[in-house]
Amino acid sequence: MVSHVDHTEHNVDVLMMEQGVADLRGLAPREPAKVIIDNCVHPEYKEELSNYFNRSNLRGGRTTSSGRSF
């Protein structure tokens, strides 16, 4: 969670990493993180990052996964 990001999700369509490929085209604002965790994160860190992602979703935020603003 950061207050400012210089490189937005709108500039990245597909990530190709050592662990796999994440196709981010057409995803809602919160969906890319889950796709990246599922497809590109080293297995050693997947559980920890998934837990962090789930906890951060519980806190809510500016936009839901459906793109609806609060």
Side-chain angles (χ1 to χ4, degrees):
M1 296 184 170
V2 297
S3 61
H4 177 78
V5 176
D6 288 324
H7 190 65
T8 70
E9 73 277 359
H10 303 290
N11 296 328
V12 178
D13 290 328
V14 178
L15 285 177
M16 298 181 77
M17 309 286 281
E18 293 174 352
Q19 301 298 320
V21 176
D23 186 349
L24 308 177
R25 293 174 287 191
L27 298 179
R30 288 189 186 181
E31 292 172 335
K34 182 69 173 145
V35 173
I36 293 168
I37 292 168
D38 290 345
N39 296 307
C40 294
V41 170
H42 189 280
E44 190 174 321
Y45 301 104
K46 262 188 192 185
E47 183 178 356
E48 184 177 350
L49 287 172
S50 291
N51 290 338
Y52 178 82
F53 176 75
N54 293 331
R55 287 192 321 269
S56 68
N57 279 334
L58 292 175
R59 293 186 67 176
R62 184 178 61 82
T63 309
T64 66
S65 61
S66 66
R68 196 181 75 205
S69 295
F70 287 169

